[in-house]
Amino acid sequence: MRLYHAAASPFVRKVMVLLHETGAVDRVTLVPASGNPLNPGTLPVDRNPLGKIPALEREDGPTLYDSRVICRYLDDTLGAGLYPPAPRLWDTLVLEATADGISDAAVLMRYEEHVRPAASQSPEWVEAQWTKIDRALSAIEDRWTSHLAGPLDMGQIALGVALGYLDFRQPQRDWRGARPALTAWWGEFAQRPAMVATQPVQA
């Protein structure tokens, strides 16, 4: 399998954390890819018409894209059990979707501030994205603490990656604030070997 990869992408990192947690990193060849909506660069537009990464090229079928699709495929292929049976499955999927939404909003903030021409940037739009992130983090603090204390699943991995991306790209924002449970959880989760191994470095 070949994974189109950029270490700074939270969605790529989510896949990489899964591979590290399952000891399957050596089963995937990493293919560097970079670009943005204004310049696709080396993004695999021939394999993912949306021009996004991650994209997982398989020998036995078409290329998979969208991190949730790829993670479900790898979880099934590797028998990892990171998507537990129902009823816990639904909590895992909602937490994963919420965490991915945080990552998506943070990526849009990054694009607005560093890709769009300065004259076209909208600080109000950036703050609207942050409002979504802030609201989602508060919901997780209020509703998901018990789930975070349970067995490792893809909801937890997606959340860990999202929080790591906030620290990586928005270090001036205080997401911790009045969220002691989430802050404590992140302090421990960030030390997992799979998270340390996939930590992006500022270019």
Side-chain angles (χ1 to χ4, degrees), residues 49-66:
L50 300 176
K52 293 183 176 182
I53 51 175
L56 183 68
E57 185 178 336
R58 304 176 293 162
E59 295 181 359
D60 60 346
T63 298
L64 301 178
Y65 47 88
D66 188 279

Side-chain angles (χ1 to χ4, degrees), residues 10-11 98-108 133 158-159 161-163 165-166:
F11 300 106
T98 304
D100 283 355
I102 292 170
S103 292
D104 189 54
V107 168
L108 291 176
I133 292 170
L159 178 60
V161 167
L163 297 179
Y165 190 74
L166 294 181

